[in-house]
Amino acid sequence: MRCAEGIEVRDLDECYINIDPIQVGGRLTVDAMKAVIAYGDGYSVCDHCRKPFRLDHIKTPPIDRFHRELAAFIGMEEARVVPGARRGFSAVTGTYVGKGDPVLLTTLSHYTEVLAVESVGGVIREIPAELGHNITADAAAMTIESVLREFGRAPSLLMIDHIDYQYGNVHDVQGVARVAHQYDIPVLYNGAYSVGILPVDGRDLGVDFVVGSGHKSMAAPAPSGVLATSKERSTELFRTTTAKTDLSLRTFGIKEVMLLGCTLMGVTLIGMMASFPAVRERVGHWDEEIANGRRVVEALQRIEGTKVVSELPRKHTLTRIDTSGSFDRVAKTHKKRGFFLSSALKELGIAGTIPGATKVWKFNTYGMTSRQAEYTANAFLAIAEENKIPVSS
Amino acid sequence: MRCAEGIEVRDLDECYINIDPIQVGGRLTVDAMKAVIAYGDGYSVCDHCRKPFRLDHIKTPPIDRFHRELAAFIGMEEARVVPGARRGFSAVTGTYVGKGDPVLLTTLSHYTEVLAVESVGGVIREIPAELGHNITADAAAMTIESVLREFGRAPSLLMIDHIDYQYGNVHDVQGVARVAHQYDIPVLYNGAYSVGILPVDGRDLGVDFVVGSGHKSMAAPAPSGVLATSKERSTELFRTTTAKTDLSLRTFGIKEVMLLGCTLMGVTLIGMMASFPAVRERVGHWDEEIANGRRVVEALQRIEGTKVVSELPRKHTLTRIDTSGSFDRVAKTHKKRGFFLSSALKELGIAGTIPGATKVWKFNTYGMTSRQAEYTANAFLAIAEENKIPVSS
């Protein structure tokens, strides 16, 4: 069935248990869906935009209040919405990173952080992950020292992913931030896999900037996200325009330079807002999510030859798995080759894996009910047994 | 009626004739509405993202084809979708403008162009509008010469709005671009009020970059837009990452630096795509839109003391009007003061004017039927007569 010319209706999340690594935290709530329908049109949230003409000052719908609540939710002073986490990174690198400036990322940093640094001509140095794929304060300290020797100055910025996209491991943000601050290095916290699905308190973590993704973890349409900071840094990051044009002598009020004025003027923002009460509530159930994730991981561990590459026990629902010694062996002789796995899963009502992937791959159990987790765990076991892979009890 | 906690259902475009200057071209088509419902979830267009893992290469839904058709639609070689026109400006300034570089805007340039220059430290010089608020090739030439004298070098970039936001006047892009190219200055065409509502051919105009706004003029959700360029410029503007991280030695494929990788991964893009067949068709009816606009303008001209500040005859549906000598006189003694006008319009089913504005204000008739245009024209006349303002026949 098509919803428009050439566009098939999307019903993946209606018809399947979705375990796609990036999609599960961004599915809309029912309220968001309703709001999206009501606010689909372009500049739909601007009906009541009055002086000083800035998105976060609009009172109807209550965008101003949402901004305050959003900042409080993640333990920061000032928050703005942005078109995706990457635009948050970019606003920060655009403010703090000059051409040739060293910037610390980690060996597990997301590619969008790399691009945000590259776009302003910064030089990337990585903090190495320790054995077990964890970023530690010690490794951060050593890398800062090494940058000092190489560049004769401290990095302009340090960016750290609380949960990395590769392993879904939890990293010591607090420890890393403490070390960075000893060198006066501002710290950006990438919460793409945390803000909106687990409790995050930027003040407690001691970071200068918190970035979250609406479409990845806040049950919001794409592109959306949040960029928040402290009172002190907000005057730098959210600086208002000082431009005065030379002939018309125009000035532009309190528009913020690095945000390029208003950011999400319609459906994306209203989706974030409508989901927010549910999002604020759901972070309190993170332990249940972890339990569901572990249930699936434990089933996979029972399949002979399967290795969990992520840290154990699992502390996040995103998990990297190596099935070279199990499902990939089957793929070698199966008539569907590597496609047998995604195909078998799909037949059992489970979607979101990359077709053909049977070696190292990822899945995310976020948002499942415990029954769905049990069903998914059993599905993996059934596929193993059907293909004669030994399963331990 | 609320669609979510604290959020009233928006029914402005269902219940009123909307003449808001910025909203009328961004109302969704029925197909876009259906697609938005099907693709509301976060990363909804990424189900079938495969190597080389970039938004504009996705085949299902047909995002790759859409990109090609979009480029052809505006007469350029390469097109990308961006989160709003401003992000298109910013990708261009980020590529071509260094700190201290002079950039030509005009005295009628939109504020987002100013911010895009300010964000990279460029220095703005304005091309003055001639009497009647028009930007001419002669004025561009003189300003370029003046920049050469002041900076000892040509501007790094020239940005021109085909239709300006203040008067809705049509400017001589072709002439200005020809002059700019004599000095090897790349030209950015701001089509926020043109791409998607009237025919635009970047090749014919002789510009290097075409930027359009999805939520302003392409019947798409916010934030969305298009950034297109020539084959030659595309290797600069859409350059792919060359970053290789120092420890993990990661590279990042063909992700484009100035776009920060993928841009519109869900509802915004699908909205643009679903509306596109209708958008492509509707630009062919621009003459009817102009006729509707003129009908309303002519009625306003009949109201004594009312001045049309935009150029005449009107060539665009966005018009600036000065009612200081008509409606504002009424406001001085009316019990609702300046609010009487928006209030009277609303009672007649017309929305989108700023409450309280009776001096200089703007409206946009885009998207009306001819019956609605006639109704709107008569509504203004009726309000004038009701308030004893003489109306000529």
Side-chain angles (χ1 to χ4, degrees):
Chain A
M1 190 173 69
R2 296 191 164 179
C3 53
E5 199 181 308
I7 303 174
E8 290 293 326
V9 164
R10 179 177 190 266
D11 54 8
L12 191 131
D13 280 292
E14 287 80 3
C15 300
Y16 297 91
I17 295 173
N18 188 359
I19 58 171
D20 186 294
I22 65 170
Q23 289 183 332
V24 292
R27 289 173 293 198
L28 300 191
T29 58
V30 172
D31 273 3
M33 197 66 241
K34 288 191 285 177
V36 158
I37 293 170
Y39 284 80
D41 292 337
Y43 284 104
S44 61
V45 303
C46 307
D47 293 340
H48 304 281
C49 182
R50 305 286 175 258
K51 273 186 185 165
F53 301 115
R54 207 174 73 190
L55 189 68
D56 58 313
H57 286 253
I58 292 174
K59 291 195 179 353
T60 311
I63 298 173
D64 59 343
R65 196 187 71 206
F66 173 66
H67 275 79
R68 289 193 299 274
E69 291 179 354
L70 190 55
F73 172 61
I74 47 182
M76 300 299 281
E77 287 292 326
E78 290 282 336
R80 299 288 183 274
V81 292
V82 287
R86 62 195 75 198
R87 300 286 171 177
F89 307 151
S90 160
V92 174
T93 60
T95 304
Y96 294 98
V97 181
K99 208 164 267 185
D101 282 356
V103 176
L104 286 192
L105 303 187
T106 80
T107 49
L108 301 174
S109 289
H110 193 255
Y111 88 86
T112 51
E113 295 167 42
V114 172
L115 295 186
V117 175
E118 189 178 2
S119 71
V120 295
V123 180
I124 293 164
R125 288 295 174 263
E126 292 180 303
I127 302 170
E130 309 281 312
L131 212 71
H133 311 294
N134 281 103
I135 305 297
T136 65
D138 280 353
M142 278 172 53
T143 313
I144 293 169
E145 285 294 335
S146 138
V147 165
L148 281 170
R149 285 192 299 275
E150 183 186 357
F151 291 82
R153 63 203 149 103
S156 301
L157 178 69
L158 184 154
M159 294 164 115
I160 177 150
D161 303 23
H162 191 181
I163 316 298
D164 72 87
Y165 75 102
Q166 292 194 43
Y167 301 96
N169 288 355
V170 181
H171 305 285
D172 180 17
V173 173
Q174 206 166 29
V176 169
R178 199 179 306 119
V179 165
H181 284 164
Q182 287 167 3
Y183 296 84
D184 293 324
I185 304 165
V187 175
L188 183 152
Y189 167 96
N190 177 357
Y193 284 101
S194 58
V195 171
I197 64 168
L198 59 90
V200 170
D201 186 322
R203 214 173 282 117
D204 189 47
L205 293 164
V207 297
D208 300 275
F209 315 104
V210 169
V211 174
S213 169
H215 49 270
K216 201 170 246 156
S217 297
M218 301 175 78
S224 62
V226 56
L227 168 62
T229 188
S230 58
K231 199 93 206 154
E232 180 202 354
R233 294 287 182 188
S234 72
T235 54
E236 298 162 358
L237 181 60
F238 299 142
R239 71 185 183 281
T240 53
T241 174
T242 56
K244 185 174 189 171
T245 56
D246 65 319
L247 294 183
S248 60
L249 305 177
R250 286 177 297 161
T251 54
F252 303 91
I254 59 164
K255 299 289 189 185
E256 290 164 338
V257 179
M258 295 315 293
L259 301 177
L260 299 173
C262 302
T263 51
L264 311 179
M265 315 80 163
V267 75
T268 42
L269 173 56
I270 213 77
M272 285 184 86
M273 286 172 59
S275 279
F276 187 59
V279 161
R280 196 158 46 176
E281 208 273 330
R282 77 186 191 180
V283 301
H285 301 281
W286 182 233
D287 53 342
E288 297 161 33
E289 297 288 345
I290 295 291
N292 288 339
R294 288 183 181 174
R295 192 176 303 208
V296 176
V297 166
E298 280 155 20
L300 283 160
Q301 287 177 301
R302 287 173 53 201
I303 300 170
E304 197 180 285
T306 295
K307 286 180 212 143
V308 178
V309 194
S310 302
E311 65 185 345
L312 285 168
R314 299 297 306 124
K315 298 176 201 156
H316 196 277
T317 54
L318 170 68
T319 295
R320 189 184 185 93
I321 198 107
D322 183 346
T323 53
S324 306
S326 54
F327 294 128
D328 193 57
R329 288 197 176 195
V330 174
K332 287 192 175 32
T333 58
H334 199 285
K335 67 175 192 291
K336 290 186 182 169
R337 289 181 303 160
F339 294 90
F340 93 93
L341 180 60
S342 56
S343 167
L345 283 166
K346 209 124 193 214
E347 270 165 43
L348 292 172
I350 296 166
T353 60
I354 295 181
T358 46
K359 293 189 173 87
V360 179
W361 51 284
K362 298 184 284 187
F363 65 90
N364 196 337
T365 59
Y366 188 74
M368 284 184 185
T369 62
S370 58
R371 264 191 71 199
Q372 288 175 321
E374 200 178 316
Y375 177 85
T376 304
N378 288 334
F380 280 117
L381 295 174
I383 294 169
E385 283 170 349
E386 196 186 306
N387 290 284
K388 317 271 185 272
I389 309 174
V391 168
S392 66
S393 54
Chain B
M1 190 173 68
R2 295 189 166 179
C3 53
E5 198 181 310
I7 303 174
E8 290 293 325
V9 164
R10 179 177 188 266
D11 54 8
L12 190 129
D13 280 292
E14 288 81 2
C15 300
Y16 297 91
I17 296 173
N18 189 359
I19 58 172
D20 186 295
I22 65 171
Q23 290 182 331
V24 291
R27 289 172 294 198
L28 300 191
T29 58
V30 172
D31 274 3
M33 197 66 240
K34 288 191 285 178
V36 158
I37 292 170
Y39 285 80
D41 292 336
Y43 283 104
S44 61
V45 304
C46 306
D47 293 340
H48 304 282
C49 182
R50 305 285 175 260
K51 274 187 183 166
F53 301 114
R54 207 174 73 189
L55 188 68
D56 58 311
H57 287 252
I58 292 174
K59 290 196 181 350
T60 311
I63 298 172
D64 58 344
R65 196 186 72 205
F66 173 65
H67 276 78
R68 290 193 299 275
E69 291 179 353
L70 191 55
F73 172 61
I74 46 182
M76 300 299 281
E77 286 293 325
E78 291 281 338
R80 300 289 184 273
V81 292
V82 286
R86 62 196 75 199
R87 301 285 172 177
F89 306 151
S90 160
V92 174
T93 59
T95 303
Y96 294 97
V97 181
K99 209 165 267 184
D101 282 356
V103 176
L104 287 192
L105 303 186
T106 80
T107 49
L108 300 175
S109 290
H110 194 254
Y111 88 87
T112 51
E113 295 167 41
V114 172
L115 295 186
V117 176
E118 188 178 2
S119 70
V120 294
V123 180
I124 293 163
R125 289 294 174 265
E126 292 179 304
I127 302 170
E130 308 282 312
L131 210 72
H133 312 294
N134 281 103
I135 305 296
T136 66
D138 280 352
M142 279 173 52
T143 314
I144 293 170
E145 285 295 335
S146 138
V147 166
L148 282 170
R149 285 191 299 275
E150 183 185 357
F151 291 83
R153 61 187 200 273
S156 301
L157 178 69
L158 183 154
M159 295 165 114
I160 177 149
D161 303 21
H162 190 181
I163 315 298
D164 72 87
Y165 75 102
Q166 291 194 43
Y167 301 96
N169 288 354
V170 181
H171 304 286
D172 180 16
V173 172
Q174 207 166 28
V176 168
R178 198 178 306 119
V179 165
H181 284 165
Q182 287 166 3
Y183 297 83
D184 293 324
I185 305 165
V187 175
L188 183 152
Y189 168 95
N190 177 356
Y193 284 101
S194 59
V195 171
I197 64 168
L198 58 91
V200 170
D201 186 321
R203 214 173 282 117
D204 188 47
L205 291 165
V207 297
D208 301 273
F209 314 104
V210 169
V211 175
S213 170
H215 49 270
K216 201 171 245 156
S217 298
M218 300 174 78
S224 61
V226 56
L227 168 62
T229 189
S230 59
K231 199 94 208 154
E232 179 202 354
R233 294 287 182 188
S234 73
T235 53
E236 299 162 356
L237 181 60
F238 299 142
R239 71 185 184 281
T240 53
T241 174
T242 56
K244 184 173 189 172
T245 55
D246 65 319
L247 294 184
S248 60
L249 305 177
R250 286 178 296 161
T251 54
F252 303 91
I254 59 163
K255 300 288 190 184
E256 292 164 337
V257 179
M258 295 316 293
L259 300 177
L260 300 173
C262 303
T263 51
L264 311 179
M265 314 82 163
V267 74
T268 42
L269 173 56
I270 213 77
M272 283 183 88
M273 287 171 59
S275 279
F276 187 59
V279 161
R280 196 157 46 176
E281 208 272 330
R282 77 186 191 180
V283 301
H285 301 282
W286 183 233
D287 53 342
E288 297 161 33
E289 297 288 345
I290 295 290
N292 287 340
R294 288 183 181 174
R295 193 177 301 209
V296 176
V297 167
E298 280 155 21
L300 283 161
Q301 287 178 300
R302 288 172 53 200
I303 299 170
E304 196 180 286
T306 295
K307 288 180 209 142
V308 179
V309 194
S310 302
E311 65 184 348
L312 285 168
R314 298 299 306 126
K315 300 176 200 156
H316 195 279
T317 55
L318 170 68
T319 295
R320 189 184 185 92
I321 197 108
D322 182 347
T323 53
S324 305
S326 53
F327 294 128
D328 193 58
R329 289 196 177 195
V330 174
K332 286 191 176 32
T333 57
H334 199 286
K335 67 175 193 291
K336 289 186 182 168
R337 291 180 304 162
F339 295 90
F340 93 93
L341 180 59
S342 56
S343 167
L345 284 166
K346 208 128 194 210
E347 269 164 46
L348 293 171
I350 297 165
T353 60
I354 296 181
T358 46
K359 292 190 174 86
V360 179
W361 51 282
K362 298 185 284 187
F363 65 90
N364 197 337
T365 59
Y366 188 74
M368 284 184 187
T369 61
S370 58
R371 262 190 73 201
Q372 287 175 320
E374 200 178 317
Y375 177 85
T376 304
N378 289 334
F380 279 118
L381 295 173
I383 294 169
E385 283 170 349
E386 194 186 308
N387 289 283
K388 315 270 184 275
I389 309 175
V391 169
S392 67
S393 55

